[in-house]
Amino acid sequence: MEKLKSLLPDELKRMVWNSTVENLPAASSSLLEFLLNLPQFHQMVRDLAAPEDSLCAKNKAAAMELKKKGNQCYSNGDYAAALHCYSQALRVAPQEADDRDRSLVAALFLNRASVFHRQGLLKECLRDCNRALQISPSYSKAWYRRGKANAALGNRQEAILDLGVAKDMEISLAGKRQIECELDMIISQRQSASRIVDQCSQISTGGAGAGEPCQSSLSCVTTHDKGRGMAAQCDIPQSSLIHKEEPYALVILKSSRESHCHYCLGELPLDTVPCLSCSIPLYCSERCRAQAGGGSLVRHQEEQRDKSYGDSLEKHVMEVTSLHNSTTAVECFPEHKHECGGVHWPAVLPPDVVLAGRILAKHLSQTGILMNPETLITLGFSHNYSLIAQGTKLEVHIYASVLLCCLQHALGFELPVNAIYLSQTVILLSQIRVNAMAIIHMKSVDPRGPHAFTSTVEQVTVGQAIYKTGSMFNHSCQPNINAYFLSRTLFVRTTEVVQTGFPLELSYGPQVGQWDCCDRLQILEDKYSFRCRCSGCSELNIADLVLNAFHCANPDCIGVLLDTPVIKYETGKLTSSHKTSRLNGGSEVEKINVKSLVCLNLMSNNSSCHIKPASCLNCGHYCNLDAAREAVDNALSCMHSLEDAIASKEIPSMVLSDASRSLGLLRSVLHPYNKRIAEAEDKLAQGFCWTGDLRSSKGLCSSSIKILEVLYGNDHIVIGYELIKLATIQLSLDDPEVAKTITRLEKIFLRYFGAHANLVLPYLETLKKESLPLHRQFSSVEI
């Protein structure tokens, strides 16, 4: 990319930099004319779009080498390494490849099934046996392994049928005798028969809350300050599900390609399913692979002829080996199909560029006609093309040019590469910048080790998607709705009562309590090119005043001392409006309010330039902020040392004691509700957990939560995440207070996720079960 940019003439660069929506076609035409006559550009496109030169194509030699390494690891008892080798071999093995007159892919599935059997992963073993048999129904070893797995699972009747088929298929007398012995053992055992339930079918049903109806009470409105957005048509209760939507187009992020399914975005199982035509995607099931356009299994050429299995086993063989069992009818757009075939560009280009390619391919597939200059814009997306920085604007143009050429290779000549379609693609990339939603999944770490504080909730961004209606919701730093994802599906739920006509607004990232006002405004302006005017950014609120504030030197004053940039924004709120935004509720907030933190008369009767940064905004007392900043920096340095020690899983007592003293220093210098104190308490609590001092950890965790209640509110989801940590510590201490903690935690999660709470965070149910010995039952939670 940088090399291409360096080859562009300065005059052409300036033309692109200064382009607007009105003269975009002219700039696109000039740029495209130059690139299409540039050999280096054509070489880049060939490197990205030519299957014969791609590292992502199938490769039998590489698959055979990985199979050989896997066999060696298996023989040496290194089953984890063998599993990795077989899975990688499956990723690159061509579906039509043979290995000693047997399908290579079927042999790899069976080898991986053998590893799973050794590791006690019987359901994974069974699924891989099924895959091998769907390719090679006469694979006696696969029938034998399937029978062994079913026997270990207690599926007695299935095991008898499997081994019966294996016996019929086996050629050698010794093999037949071994199978007969296994059959005799199973028949003699008195185990109850059961069938496993396929994992993917459970996911597809949606689980609890899948049938919850949406409130049909939304309308699209246009306001002067925010433009188009969504509003309530009637009063909507708290925790109501108001919207559910599948993505118009979706792409997995590069950081999640090895850990999450490329279609449903769920965590990958050990028995991953690769794409059948390239080595890029991994799926959790054949169903996801088929829906994504990654192909379906094909019967091995040697298995095309009919085989006789005996009347009693014929039905069983047909059920297990049917190629229709592994997939369902595919009604969605196969989003990976145009990227398939071993081409390199889907793995190399940025996710938003790949996402743009999927939108273009889907549009062309659904309409069957070429786009016109207005087609994409009428999808309802806004864009910020004119506001994009010059360097970024040039990158967008070059990426759009590369993408069009790659798509032309994939789609033939159905998509012309000219100035009109380049302009379209540039606008589309601009639309994606401001409308794409980050798909976030929550990952909880179950504390089965000695350190209880490892029970945390991590928010993992796994994908990026365009939701045609979901993109219509506007932003607020104090949102009244929550957006979350189950697999690919977007759900939107109210977090408070929303009255008729009120806007329905979610957070694009920044929220009150997370960053102060000036940081939030900068983040939103940099990423989305708009200046936020929500209530949190236009009216005084407690969180913005205390989040980064210093402690007043007067011990009897709870007033705040702010740096100049913060003062500028907070006094600006008073200049535009003398209102204060809704205060976050909670026990700690009841002790303070805006008037106890600042003297409103002092702020409103003086311009910001007359308010000294080193003076308390409540009593006017002076404080040496330079010395305070130095003390904070020294204290945070000790906290960073503790963080490094926790990461290394070795915490010297000196590091812990230094961190404890640093926390005391922070408490003396910073405002009591400064977020850095809460973060330091949280980190120190984790340190005490690692050393086994759970009582100290519990106290610090509780203290941190009290600060966060002031910043976010008593029932904010952030408080819920912290309560998980507290509840885990209380469980470890056999503290009966855990009942109240979990009841409160459940109430928060019901507020934000409703009937989906246990699906979003399965660990919530685990906490409830583990706390049962400490209390008879949970009281019902109503919102």
Side-chain angles (χ1 to χ4, degrees):
M1 176 59 67
E2 292 302 320
K3 185 176 180 180
L4 275 182
K5 288 167 65 175
S6 68
L7 296 173
L8 298 180
D10 290 341
E11 183 179 352
L12 182 55
K13 288 181 182 178
R14 285 192 292 271
M15 185 177 186
V16 174
W17 289 342
N18 298 324
S19 62
T20 62
V21 176
E22 288 73 22
N23 60 20
L24 177 58
S28 298
S29 178
S30 298
L31 176 65
L32 195 58
E33 181 181 0
F34 180 84
L35 291 176
L36 292 179
N37 288 286
L38 190 66
Q40 292 91 334
F41 178 76
H42 287 284
Q43 183 60 49
M44 172 184 281
V45 173
R46 281 194 297 270
D47 291 342
L48 292 171
E52 59 273 12
D53 298 327
S54 175
L55 298 176
C56 302
K58 297 292 188 178
N59 188 322
K60 180 181 177 181
M64 292 296 293
E65 183 62 27
L66 285 164
K67 179 175 180 282
K68 181 179 178 181
K69 290 181 180 179
N71 292 345
Q72 292 172 347
C73 293
Y74 185 87
S75 299
N76 295 332
D78 189 352
Y79 300 124
L83 174 60
H84 175 75
C85 288
Y86 292 142
S87 293
Q88 290 302 109
L90 280 165
R91 202 167 184 177
V92 299
Q95 187 171 200
E96 71 279 1
D98 288 337
D99 179 22
R100 299 176 184 177
D101 297 327
R102 177 69 65 186
S103 164
L104 174 58
V105 174
L108 288 169
F109 275 129
L110 179 59
N111 285 7
R112 196 171 68 172
S114 300
V115 174
F116 287 139
H117 201 183
R118 288 282 188 177
Q119 293 178 319
L121 301 170
L122 301 176
K123 294 183 180 181
E124 289 82 355
C125 173
L126 200 58
R127 289 196 290 265
D128 267 0
C129 288
N130 290 343
R131 291 159 185 153
L133 290 169
Q134 285 162 6
I135 300 171
S136 296
S138 63
Y139 204 167
S140 61
K141 290 183 179 179
W143 284 110
Y144 176 76
R145 181 64 61 188
R146 190 178 194 274
K148 294 277 286 182
N150 268 320
L153 283 166
N155 302 330
R156 175 171 167 267
Q157 187 58 35
E158 284 281 304
I160 292 172
L161 292 172
D162 291 336
L163 293 175
V165 177
K167 179 184 173 184
D168 283 357
M169 294 294 172
E170 181 58 39
I171 299 175
S172 68
L173 291 176
K176 287 181 178 290
R177 291 194 192 100
Q178 182 181 352
I179 296 172
E180 286 176 352
C181 290
E182 294 283 350
L183 271 170
D184 291 340
M185 289 177 59
I186 294 172
I187 292 173
S188 64
Q189 293 171 352
R190 296 185 178 181
Q191 297 179 349
S192 59
S194 64
R195 283 186 175 269
I196 67 167
V197 179
D198 184 78
Q199 178 186 10
C200 293
S201 65
Q202 287 182 328
I203 295 174
S204 65
T205 61
E212 183 181 0
C214 294
Q215 297 277 351
S216 57
S217 51
L218 311 182
S219 61
C220 182
V221 298
T222 301
T223 60
H224 174 71
D225 56 341
K226 291 190 176 184
R228 192 170 45 188
M230 304 298 288
Q233 286 186 334
C234 62
D235 291 353
I236 305 177
Q238 180 180 279
S239 194
S240 297
L241 182 64
I242 59 172
H243 184 63
K244 175 182 177 181
E245 183 180 3
E246 296 299 319
Y248 182 78
L250 174 149
V251 67
I252 192 169
L253 298 186
K254 290 183 179 180
S255 59
S256 299
R257 285 178 180 171
E258 302 298 316
S259 57
H260 289 75
C261 175
H262 285 224
Y263 181 76
C264 74
L265 300 184
E267 288 190 41
L268 284 171
L270 291 173
D271 58 322
T272 54
V273 178
C275 175
L276 294 175
S277 300
C278 71
S279 61
I280 300 176
L282 290 172
Y283 303 102
C284 66
S285 66
E286 287 82 353
R287 179 176 180 271
C288 281
R289 178 174 63 192
Q291 289 185 314
S296 300
L297 289 175
V298 176
R299 190 85 75 211
H300 188 244
Q301 58 184 359
E302 294 298 318
E303 301 288 345
Q304 297 295 339
R305 64 181 183 273
D306 293 334
K307 295 182 182 293
S308 176
Y309 304 102
D311 293 340
S312 60
L313 299 177
E314 184 70 28
K315 182 179 178 182
H316 179 64
V317 172
M318 293 297 294
E319 288 178 351
V320 173
T321 64
S322 172
L323 291 174
H324 299 291
N325 286 345
S326 59
T327 60
T328 57
V330 178
E331 299 179 357
C332 57
F333 172 70
E335 58 195 11
H336 173 63
K337 189 174 182 179
H338 67 280
E339 305 164 353
C340 216
V343 294
H344 208 179
W345 63 269
V348 175
L349 297 181
D352 57 336
V353 179
V354 179
L355 180 61
R358 292 188 170 189
I359 293 174
L360 290 169
K362 181 174 183 177
H363 177 87
L364 186 59
S365 172
Q366 290 181 339
T367 60
I369 57 174
L370 296 178
M371 298 170 294
N372 61 65
E374 299 297 324
T375 303
L376 288 176
I377 297 176
T378 57
L379 288 176
F381 303 150
S382 61
H383 64 83
N384 64 344
Y385 176 77
S386 299
L387 301 175
I388 296 177
Q390 290 182 346
T392 303
K393 189 179 288 187
L394 184 58
E395 280 191 3
V396 168
H397 274 263
I398 296 177
Y399 275 128
S401 303
V402 172
L403 176 63
L404 279 179
C405 291
C406 290
L407 286 175
Q408 188 182 55
H409 278 261
L411 302 174
F413 291 95
E414 296 179 275
L415 188 66
V417 178
N418 57 36
I420 294 177
Y421 296 105
L422 178 56
S423 300
Q424 278 280 68
T425 308
V426 167
I427 292 298
L428 175 58
L429 286 169
S430 304
Q431 292 169 332
I432 289 173
R433 284 172 55 87
V434 296
N435 291 282
M437 300 184 75
I439 298 181
I440 298 174
H441 288 181
M442 277 187 282
K443 179 180 179 181
S444 58
V445 182
D446 196 341
R448 298 303 175 187
H451 311 295
F453 208 74
T454 56
S455 174
T456 56
V457 175
E458 179 184 1
Q459 296 188 70
V460 182
T461 304
V462 295
Q464 187 179 24
I466 288 291
Y467 294 87
K468 292 183 68 174
T469 301
S471 297
M472 303 287 286
F473 290 98
N474 280 324
H475 164 83
S476 173
C477 296
Q478 289 184 314
N480 55 12
I481 58 176
N482 177 48
Y484 60 96
F485 303 88
L486 293 176
S487 183
R488 301 160 54 96
T489 309
L490 166 69
F491 293 86
V492 181
R493 192 178 294 272
T494 57
T495 56
E496 59 187 54
V497 175
V498 182
Q499 297 179 352
T500 304
F502 272 61
L504 294 159
E505 297 172 326
L506 51 79
S507 170
Y508 290 0
Q511 293 192 44
V512 170
Q514 185 180 16
W515 289 292
D516 62 25
C517 184
C518 56
D519 287 339
R520 295 197 307 271
L521 290 173
Q522 191 63 53
I523 291 169
L524 292 167
E525 196 159 358
D526 289 345
K527 188 170 183 179
Y528 299 103
S529 303
F530 73 86
R531 187 168 184 83
C532 185
R533 296 183 177 87
C534 73
S535 58
C537 295
S538 59
E539 302 168 4
L540 282 180
N541 64 78
I542 293 173
D544 283 347
L545 290 170
V546 302
L547 190 138
N548 288 316
F550 290 89
H551 201 297
C552 179
N554 180 359
D556 296 326
C557 178
I558 198 176
V560 297
L561 286 86
L562 305 175
D563 276 333
T564 302
V566 181
I567 289 178
K568 176 184 175 182
Y569 281 98
E570 296 308 311
T571 54
K573 293 178 182 179
L574 273 180
T575 302
S576 59
S577 173
H578 290 278
K579 295 187 296 181
T580 59
S581 66
R582 65 184 191 277
L583 301 180
N584 301 322
S587 56
E588 284 301 311
V589 178
E590 293 171 1
K591 301 176 184 178
I592 63 170
N593 53 50
V594 171
K595 292 183 179 180
S596 68
L597 299 174
V598 300
C599 176
L600 294 182
N601 290 330
L602 175 66
M603 293 185 70
S604 60
N605 292 333
N606 294 274
S607 63
S608 60
C609 60
H610 292 115
I611 299 177
K612 298 179 180 179
S615 299
C616 174
L617 293 184
N618 187 48
C619 68
H621 202 96
Y622 175 79
C623 176
N624 185 349
L625 283 187
D626 290 335
R629 292 191 196 96
E630 182 179 356
V632 170
D633 290 341
N634 292 334
L636 293 180
S637 177
C638 290
M639 287 298 169
H640 291 321
S641 297
L642 174 60
E643 190 172 1
D644 293 340
I646 293 173
S648 67
K649 300 182 180 181
E650 293 184 6
I651 306 178
S653 57
M654 182 64 70
V655 172
L656 200 59
S657 60
D658 287 347
S660 298
R661 286 193 294 271
S662 297
L663 175 60
L665 181 58
L666 290 174
R667 286 172 171 170
S668 67
V669 174
L670 299 177
H671 191 275
Y673 299 109
N674 188 301
K675 191 174 185 179
R676 283 175 287 186
I677 296 178
E679 293 170 344
E681 289 171 336
D682 180 82
K683 190 57 61 180
L684 192 55
Q686 189 172 357
F688 278 122
C689 262
W690 275 94
T691 60
D693 187 353
L694 296 181
R695 295 197 178 279
S696 296
S697 180
K698 172 189 168 185
L700 287 164
C701 189
S702 298
S703 180
S704 175
I705 290 173
K706 289 179 180 179
I707 295 176
L708 296 177
E709 287 174 346
V710 172
L711 299 177
Y712 289 99
N714 207 35
D715 296 322
H716 195 278
I717 188 61
V718 169
I719 305 301
Y721 298 150
E722 297 304 310
L723 288 173
I724 291 176
K725 301 176 184 178
L726 179 61
T728 309
I729 298 171
Q730 290 172 328
L731 278 173
S732 301
L733 291 170
D734 292 332
D735 186 348
E737 289 294 312
V738 69
K740 294 180 180 178
T741 301
I742 294 180
T743 299
R744 182 183 173 194
L745 167 63
E746 189 177 18
K747 179 180 178 181
I748 292 174
F749 270 80
L750 286 173
R751 176 187 181 187
Y752 279 80
F753 306 109
H756 296 139
N758 288 330
L759 292 175
V760 173
L761 188 70
Y763 184 59
L764 178 62
E765 194 65 26
T766 303
L767 276 177
K768 291 166 63 176
K769 290 179 181 178
E770 290 185 351
S771 65
L772 284 177
L774 298 178
H775 58 98
R776 293 296 180 110
Q777 61 182 8
F778 285 96
S779 58
S780 59
V781 179
E782 297 182 358
I783 297 181

